[in-house]
Amino acid sequence: MPQDMPPVGGYGPVQYKRNLPASGFRPSTWLAGMGVVMAYGFWKLSQGIREQNELAREKMWSRIHLIPVLQAEEDRDLVRRHIADQAREKELLGENFKVYNSDRYVRPTYAVTPSNVSK
């Protein structure tokens, strides 16, 4: 009995792929979409950081420019308190005693001391 041989020109190609339409997006489309969303998020984040830095710089400079005004207010308050203290001392004692060795104004310093100190 003779052996079966392939036909002249060979067999046709074997169909191993399915002829179905693509369902959903391809992974490259998902990756591109996620990249766009992340790029937008990082762009908005950098804008927010820049805005925060600008607000912090503006706040710092406003405080720097307010320091002389606040210092002047504090000095006026100290002078008012000093004059009132001198008037009160003169009313109680009859004259003002010199506490310091010079007539130079010395800014008062206040230190909080604890009432009970353990040794």
Side-chain angles (χ1 to χ4, degrees):
M1 173 144 93
Q3 184 177 359
D4 287 340
M5 298 297 288
V8 180
Y11 292 109
V14 178
Q15 181 183 0
Y16 62 93
K17 292 184 179 178
R18 296 171 52 180
N19 278 335
L20 296 176
S23 61
F25 292 111
R26 292 187 303 255
S28 60
T29 308
W30 279 106
L31 188 63
M34 287 185 349
V36 167
V37 167
M38 286 176 56
Y40 177 74
F42 279 120
W43 177 65
K44 290 298 279 185
L45 177 70
S46 67
Q47 275 188 336
I49 290 173
R50 283 187 193 143
E51 180 72 18
Q52 283 182 346
N53 288 343
E54 180 65 25
L55 289 174
R57 187 189 67 78
E58 186 177 329
K59 183 177 183 180
M60 181 179 64
W61 276 104
S62 65
R63 288 183 178 182
I64 288 171
H65 289 299
L66 279 177
I67 285 174
V69 174
L70 296 175
Q71 186 67 46
E73 286 294 321
E74 184 182 358
D75 290 345
R76 286 180 56 203
D77 186 48
L78 282 174
V79 167
R80 182 188 58 79
R81 287 175 185 253
H82 180 69
I83 292 172
D85 192 30
Q86 292 291 326
R88 194 177 314 113
E89 184 178 330
K90 189 170 189 175
E91 180 184 324
L92 290 174
L93 301 176
E95 64 175 299
N96 290 337
F97 293 105
K98 284 192 173 186
V99 182
Y100 302 106
N101 294 330
S102 68
D103 292 333
R104 185 174 66 89
Y105 175 74
V106 178
R107 170 177 276 206
T109 56
Y110 302 103
V112 178
T113 57
S115 58
N116 53 354
V117 179
S118 61
K119 292 185 180 181

